[in-house]
Amino acid sequence: MESHRLNRRLFVAGLAGSPVLLAQQSVVQDPPPPSKRPPIHEQPPFEEPLAFQRKDAARRVKPFLMSQVRLLPGPFQQSAEWNRAYMNWLGVDRLLHNFRLNAGLPSTAEPLGGWEAPKSELRGHFTGHYLSACALRWASAGDAEMKARGDDMVSELASCQAKLDAGGYLSAFPTELFDRLDQRKGVWAPFYTVHKIMAGLFDMYRHAGNKQALAVAGGMADWADRWTASKTEPHMQEILKSEYGGMNEVLYNLAAETGEDKWARAGDRFSKKAFFTPLAQRRDELRNLHANTHIPQVIGAARRYEISSDPRFRDVADFFWSTVAGARTYATGGSSNAEAWLTDPGHLSLEWKASTHHQECCCAYNMLKLTRHLYEWKGDARYFDYYERNLLNHRLGGIQPETGHSIYFLSMAPGAWKTLNTPDKTFWCCTGSALEEYAKLNDSIYYQDGEGIYVNLFIASELDARERGIRLRQDTRFPDEPRTALTVAETPSSAWTMRLRVPQWASHAAVKINGRQLEGMAEGGSYLSVERVWKRGDRVEMELPMRLTSEAMPDDPTVQAFLYGPIVLAGDLGAQGLTESLIRDRQGPETARAPMEVPTLKVSGKELTEWLRPDGSAPLEFRTSALGQDLAFRPLNRLWQRFAVYWNVA
Ligand SMILES: [Zn+2]
């Protein structure tokens, strides 16, 4: 929060026994800018070899453990259940098949297909995601069956590692793929896959207490340490041109957890200097880079800053986030096109027109993850304006009801549709990210600092902040209803502060405590802070009125999307021309195979409320006759047929 234009006003509500309100106001409409320090890096910041020293950076706010927050019935819990159904359908034996064969152990399981097929160079990546999801299911929902599956898999993977007997190496493919990587011969992305397996094992340790998982991951870290230490730095920088996921992040996580600095030094070998240098100097040179190759590297940089306090890594993460969230993100919260950034920053309409494969889901997943890091450092509510947009529009609607199958791209092309994986013959990167995403939807609803609790997201849930003697229950049907209510179920006798996030879109938010309206209100994009001696049963009700808004492309005011509060509304264009083969096992909509003419919206100069009216039959549903025929606009996150989010407006 150090450099934002920040006004503070003190409101003292004139109610008997009333809470004291400290409304922190920050009046900037854009995403949080990078800190405006003078350019401290006159020399290229990563020219010298890196020298890791542990020194933890201060964090303004801290998350709760995943196990302290439970979802209550609502759209988020429902998505979690659909995901769980898909996890349950997949059998452990099939996920371990290639690992066993690679280790010379017998397996009679039916092989999986797609990116997990026995000859795929990415085989094993999804098994890593699955391990993470098992750990997250246990932590987020107390799912003992999924924990048991995860424990079984860890034990089997430990046997594979022991049988391989190759200095800790563990994978579903042989080290020959790493030989090819070393020789810069064609190979897909072996470190990407190894990262997923290591992250899955680390999650089984971190979220599910499995010590064997930590030992297996440590063995893999030792192997990666030796492999990378045997290369010269220039050669290693060449190797880093191949996608390697978050190898740096998982090695830093292991180092932080165990105190083994050697793994942090191994993590440093995964610092791609040609990518980090311009970011640390606050230059956006992302054009033509593959998006999801690079976002995880920045998450690793954020983690490096947290465990070393090295400001170069903070600047990398800070600037990257600002330019992607601020200048390369669609109204839905996603970024990328055809997996890359195809233009200079701020040219989103050119990017939009360049292909139909916008917004890879892994990018959305990883940007949420990066946002959590930056938010912890700064405690700025505006990070959650971005987070909420992404979560509600891109992630909530990215999982198919009942089946738990999920999407790859969320296309913004007019007449686009969502495309889905097959149950056992696809296994894209995004299928793996989805498995984790929907196993952790309780994440980030609440945070804490020394003074109390932050309420960031309006999701039906319970918080058990047992270390401070506080329990909260949040009842809400948000976003179907524009309000939420928090009940204090347990509280210590001393005062503490509840900080309620006031979103930027909520221009007339209002709060009642035990039925009495507070006079003060924080501005959008900040927190309303209520400090008082709370009593069991105290009830905080927050009204979050939504209104229709339009959001134009930054470089073309005639291309617009429409929102109601934080919810992106899409024109529902029906299922015309859609066949199962156009939907299933396709990464994105191939609109040329089912062309659709989407007309221009002739509403220029009209108020939104003149031409877009509430449907009345269901929440968040609207209708218009502006196209000469009746057309429904509904939340993109509910749509499973053809839609248009961005419209040409004349
Ligand atoms: Zn992906």
Side-chain angles (χ1 to χ4, degrees):
M1 307 242 306
E2 48 197 297
S3 68
H4 304 148
R5 284 176 277 154
L6 183 71
N7 304 315
R8 282 166 185 264
R9 280 185 216 157
L10 192 68
F11 292 96
V12 180
L15 303 169
S18 67
V20 175
L21 299 181
L22 178 66
Q24 297 178 1
Q25 302 189 192
S26 35
V27 284
V28 185
Q29 293 302 313
D30 308 317
S35 312
K36 290 191 178 61
R37 282 177 298 276
I40 49 175
H41 314 306
E42 279 159 18
Q43 299 300 314
F46 293 101
E47 208 161 53
E48 301 298 315
L50 290 165
F52 176 79
Q53 264 201 317
R54 180 75 184 261
K55 184 186 171 203
D56 289 353
R59 286 182 290 172
R60 204 171 178 288
V61 294
K62 288 184 179 158
F64 287 98
L65 295 175
M66 204 70 72
S67 58
Q68 292 180 276
V69 182
R70 287 280 184 268
L71 293 175
L72 296 171
F76 289 89
Q77 192 192 60
Q78 201 167 44
S79 294
E81 290 304 318
W82 296 332
N83 186 52
R84 206 267 181 198
Y86 180 47
M87 287 178 71
N88 190 47
W89 185 87
L90 288 163
V92 165
D93 279 354
R94 297 184 74 185
L95 291 162
L96 291 170
H97 177 72
N98 290 326
F99 285 88
R100 285 179 170 141
L101 293 189
N102 187 52
L105 293 167
S107 172
T108 55
E110 183 191 355
L112 300 168
W115 294 10
E116 283 294 334
K119 290 197 169 150
S120 165
E121 290 187 347
L122 223 62
R123 62 192 183 270
H125 79 106
F126 189 84
T127 303
H129 286 294
Y130 193 94
L131 269 179
S132 290
C134 287
L136 291 163
R137 277 294 304 172
W138 166 246
S140 65
D143 191 331
E145 195 182 331
M146 285 302 154
K147 179 181 184 300
R149 279 197 193 188
D151 288 339
D152 286 350
M153 289 171 76
V154 169
S155 159
E156 290 288 331
L157 289 171
S159 301
C160 292
Q161 188 182 42
K163 180 73 170 30
L164 281 163
D165 192 18
Y169 180 77
L170 171 64
S171 179
F173 49 70
T175 51
E176 182 265 329
L177 271 69
F178 282 96
D179 297 341
R180 277 195 269 147
L181 180 70
D182 186 23
Q183 293 151 22
R184 306 299 296 133
K185 290 178 183 167
V187 65
W188 195 343
F191 271 123
Y192 174 93
T193 306
V194 160
H195 162 244
K196 301 305 172 220
I197 301 160
M198 290 179 73
L201 290 162
F202 185 71
D203 284 339
M204 277 301 296
Y205 166 72
R206 172 168 51 179
H207 297 299
N210 187 316
K211 292 196 173 73
Q212 187 179 30
L214 184 66
V216 176
M220 294 177 77
D222 280 341
W223 175 84
D225 182 17
R226 277 192 304 276
W227 195 91
T228 53
S230 71
K231 318 298 170 202
T232 64
E233 200 198 336
H235 184 53
M236 194 63 207
Q237 291 293 317
E238 282 295 307
I239 286 167
L240 297 187
K241 289 177 180 171
S242 294
E243 185 171 5
Y244 57 88
M247 276 303 292
N248 50 352
E249 184 212 3
V250 73
L251 287 162
Y252 295 140
N253 278 338
L254 283 165
E257 186 62 36
T258 60
E260 291 277 11
D261 286 357
K262 65 177 178 179
W263 291 334
R265 288 193 289 275
D268 279 353
R269 293 186 204 112
F270 289 92
S271 292
K272 191 196 286 181
K273 295 187 172 181
F275 171 54
F276 282 177
T277 293
L279 292 172
Q281 295 172 328
R282 306 182 204 291
R283 293 199 313 273
D284 181 329
E285 295 183 1
L286 303 180
R287 184 176 182 172
N288 293 329
L289 289 186
H290 183 267
N292 198 52
T293 289
H294 291 90
I295 304 170
Q297 296 177 23
V298 179
I299 296 169
R303 196 69 190 112
R304 173 62 152 81
Y305 164 66
E306 288 169 359
I307 64 170
S308 69
S309 301
D310 186 327
R312 293 172 294 179
F313 290 93
R314 176 198 58 203
D315 292 353
V316 166
D318 193 36
F319 178 77
F320 177 87
W321 187 93
S322 295
T323 194
V324 172
R328 294 183 175 281
T329 289
Y330 297 93
T332 42
S335 189
S336 82
N337 191 1
E339 305 202 4
W341 293 293
L342 302 176
T343 65
D344 288 326
H347 293 81
L348 204 62
S349 79
L350 294 180
E351 179 103 45
W352 174 62
K353 287 170 191 155
S355 99
T356 58
H357 286 187
H358 312 103
Q359 306 192 111
E360 185 187 346
C361 287
C362 290
C363 296
Y365 168 86
N366 279 314
M367 282 300 290
L368 289 179
K369 190 169 173 177
L370 179 62
T371 304
R372 290 192 285 271
H373 285 278
L374 272 82
Y375 173 72
E376 284 185 31
W377 307 345
K378 303 185 193 184
D380 190 320
R382 287 170 298 170
Y383 284 110
F384 271 87
D385 284 313
Y386 167 81
Y387 195 100
E388 178 180 67
R389 189 72 83 84
N390 189 334
L391 186 68
L392 287 174
N393 298 298
H394 194 147
R395 309 313 286 133
L396 192 60
I399 183 165
Q400 190 186 35
E402 311 300 338
T403 67
H405 302 158
S406 54
I407 65 174
Y408 192 113
F409 294 115
L410 179 57
S411 174
M412 294 287 96
W417 59 92
K418 295 173 182 174
T419 57
L420 292 159
N421 62 292
T422 62
D424 62 350
K425 293 188 170 47
T426 304
F427 301 107
W428 299 312
C429 49
C430 296
T431 323
S433 292
L435 213 69
E436 295 186 35
E437 188 91 278
Y438 302 109
K440 65 196 288 295
L441 292 170
N442 60 337
D443 200 348
S444 298
I445 303 172
Y446 308 97
Y447 277 81
Q448 59 183 327
D449 66 8
E451 293 166 10
I453 310 282
Y454 291 71
V455 180
N456 279 326
L457 295 169
F458 314 117
I459 295 177
S461 55
E462 285 179 318
L463 167 69
D464 182 0
R466 55 185 84 93
E467 64 273 40
R468 5 181 24 132
I470 297 171
R471 283 195 302 122
L472 288 179
R473 180 186 166 99
Q474 184 175 183
D475 291 290
T476 183
R477 294 190 60 231
F478 183 87
D480 280 4
E481 291 181 354
R483 63 186 60 88
T484 192
L486 291 130
T487 307
V488 177
E490 203 173 302
T491 178
S493 54
S494 54
W496 55 275
T497 303
M498 187 189 295
R499 287 191 172 81
L500 301 161
R501 177 178 149 258
V502 182
Q504 283 196 336
W505 51 262
S507 49
H508 293 92
V511 170
K512 284 182 190 168
I513 296 181
N514 298 330
R516 305 186 72 163
Q517 178 123 2
L518 303 185
E519 289 178 5
M521 179 47 62
E523 284 198 5
S526 70
Y527 288 103
L528 177 74
S529 302
V530 185
E531 183 191 5
R532 65 186 242 151
V533 176
W534 296 91
K535 294 200 170 52
R536 183 188 283 195
D538 277 350
R539 189 169 163 85
V540 177
E541 293 166 286
M542 192 174 192
E543 289 292 325
L544 296 155
M546 299 186 193
R547 63 191 174 92
L548 286 168
T549 54
S550 63
E551 206 165 280
M553 288 283 188
D555 54 334
D556 187 348
T558 68
V559 179
Q560 298 178 9
F562 304 100
L563 294 95
Y564 189 62
I567 298 295
V568 170
L569 301 174
D572 183 343
L573 302 176
Q576 187 196 327
L578 289 193
T579 59
E580 181 68 6
S581 79
L582 283 175
I583 294 170
R584 194 63 66 174
D585 209 16
R586 311 235 166 234
Q587 294 179 4
E590 291 161 29
T591 49
R593 294 180 61 204
M596 175 180 263
E597 197 70 37
V598 177
T600 296
L601 257 178
K602 293 187 177 148
V603 295
S604 190
K606 285 189 183 168
E607 290 291 323
L608 271 163
T609 47
E610 276 179 61
W611 63 270
L612 198 53
R613 298 180 189 284
D615 178 279
S617 65
L620 308 175
E621 303 266 333
F622 293 81
R623 302 201 85 83
T624 186
S625 53
L627 291 160
Q629 60 186 28
D630 186 49
L631 182 75
F633 272 72
R634 48 177 55 120
L636 175 65
N637 67 23
R638 283 183 198 158
L639 263 166
W640 288 93
Q641 42 190 16
R642 303 182 78 155
F643 56 81
V645 168
Y646 280 100
W647 295 80
N648 288 303
V649 175

